[in-house]
Amino acid sequence: MKELLRSTDPTVLAFASALLEGEDIDCFQMDVNMSILEGGIGIFPRRLMVREDDYTQAKRAMLDNEIPLGNDR
Protein backbone atom coordinates (compact mmCIF):
# COMPACT_ATOMS: atom_id res chain seq x y z
CA MET A 1 0.00 0.00 0.00
CA LYS A 2 1.13 3.51 -0.75
CA GLU A 3 0.09 6.79 0.84
CA LEU A 4 -2.03 8.87 -1.50
CA LEU A 5 -3.43 11.57 0.74
CA ARG A 6 -2.86 13.02 4.20
CA SER A 7 -5.39 15.34 5.82
CA THR A 8 -6.93 16.38 9.12
CA ASP A 9 -10.19 17.28 7.33
CA PRO A 10 -12.66 14.36 7.45
CA THR A 11 -14.72 15.86 4.61
CA VAL A 12 -11.72 15.76 2.27
CA LEU A 13 -11.09 12.13 3.19
CA ALA A 14 -14.75 11.21 2.65
CA PHE A 15 -14.84 12.96 -0.74
CA ALA A 16 -11.57 11.35 -1.82
CA SER A 17 -12.78 7.91 -0.75
CA ALA A 18 -16.02 8.38 -2.70
CA LEU A 19 -14.09 9.44 -5.81
CA LEU A 20 -11.82 6.43 -5.57
CA GLU A 21 -14.79 4.13 -5.08
CA GLY A 22 -16.31 5.58 -8.26
CA GLU A 23 -13.08 4.71 -10.09
CA ASP A 24 -13.08 1.14 -8.67
CA ILE A 25 -9.94 1.84 -6.65
CA ASP A 26 -9.74 0.27 -3.21
CA CYS A 27 -8.54 2.56 -0.43
CA PHE A 28 -7.96 2.33 3.30
CA GLN A 29 -7.82 5.07 5.95
CA MET A 30 -4.97 4.77 8.41
CA ASP A 31 -4.49 6.58 11.73
CA VAL A 32 -8.23 6.75 12.39
CA ASN A 33 -7.82 5.48 15.95
CA MET A 34 -5.11 8.05 16.70
CA SER A 35 -7.29 10.91 15.52
CA ILE A 36 -10.14 9.63 17.71
CA LEU A 37 -7.85 9.50 20.75
CA GLU A 38 -6.81 13.12 20.25
CA GLY A 39 -10.37 14.19 21.07
CA GLY A 40 -11.35 15.53 17.67
CA ILE A 41 -9.16 18.64 17.74
CA GLY A 42 -7.64 17.72 14.39
CA ILE A 43 -3.91 17.78 15.02
CA PHE A 44 -3.12 14.26 13.82
CA PRO A 45 -3.71 13.74 10.10
CA ARG A 46 -5.26 10.60 8.70
CA ARG A 47 -3.68 8.89 5.72
CA LEU A 48 -5.54 7.44 2.75
CA MET A 49 -3.72 4.44 1.31
CA VAL A 50 -4.12 2.74 -2.08
CA ARG A 51 -2.48 -0.25 -3.73
CA GLU A 52 0.75 0.62 -5.52
CA ASP A 53 -0.72 -0.59 -8.81
CA ASP A 54 -3.58 1.93 -8.44
CA TYR A 55 -1.47 4.84 -7.20
CA THR A 56 -1.01 6.69 -10.51
CA GLN A 57 -4.71 6.47 -11.41
CA ALA A 58 -5.73 7.48 -7.87
CA LYS A 59 -3.36 10.45 -7.83
CA ARG A 60 -4.72 11.62 -11.19
CA ALA A 61 -8.29 11.44 -9.80
CA MET A 62 -7.25 13.59 -6.82
CA LEU A 63 -5.47 16.19 -8.97
CA ASP A 64 -8.33 16.33 -11.50
CA ASN A 65 -10.73 17.16 -8.66
CA GLU A 66 -8.32 19.64 -7.03
CA ILE A 67 -7.99 17.64 -3.82
CA PRO A 68 -4.78 18.65 -2.03
CA LEU A 69 -2.69 15.57 -1.32
CA GLY A 70 -1.24 17.09 1.86
CA ASN A 71 1.80 14.84 1.87
CA ASP A 72 4.23 17.12 -0.03
CA ARG A 73 4.45 14.81 -3.04
Side-chain angles (χ1 to χ4, degrees):
M1 306 236 22
K2 189 169 181 176
E3 180 181 332
L4 173 68
L5 167 68
R6 184 180 294 210
S7 179
T8 57
D9 187 346
T11 60
V12 169
L13 293 165
F15 182 51
S17 295
L19 283 173
L20 293 173
E21 183 179 313
E23 297 284 331
D24 285 332
I25 298 173
D26 292 326
C27 63
F28 180 77
Q29 282 191 32
M30 295 187 71
D31 307 317
V32 174
N33 290 335
M34 183 57 75
S35 64
I36 290 171
L37 290 174
E38 66 165 329
I41 58 176
I43 58 173
F44 294 116
R46 295 181 187 182
R47 294 176 289 162
L48 192 63
M49 309 295 282
V50 296
R51 287 182 289 178
E52 286 197 41
D53 295 342
D54 294 331
Y55 180 78
T56 303
Q57 182 182 0
K59 186 174 180 180
R60 173 61 43 209
M62 297 300 104
L63 295 175
D64 287 348
N65 288 281
E66 299 179 2
I67 296 176
L69 298 178
N71 54 8
D72 300 326
R73 293 179 189 210

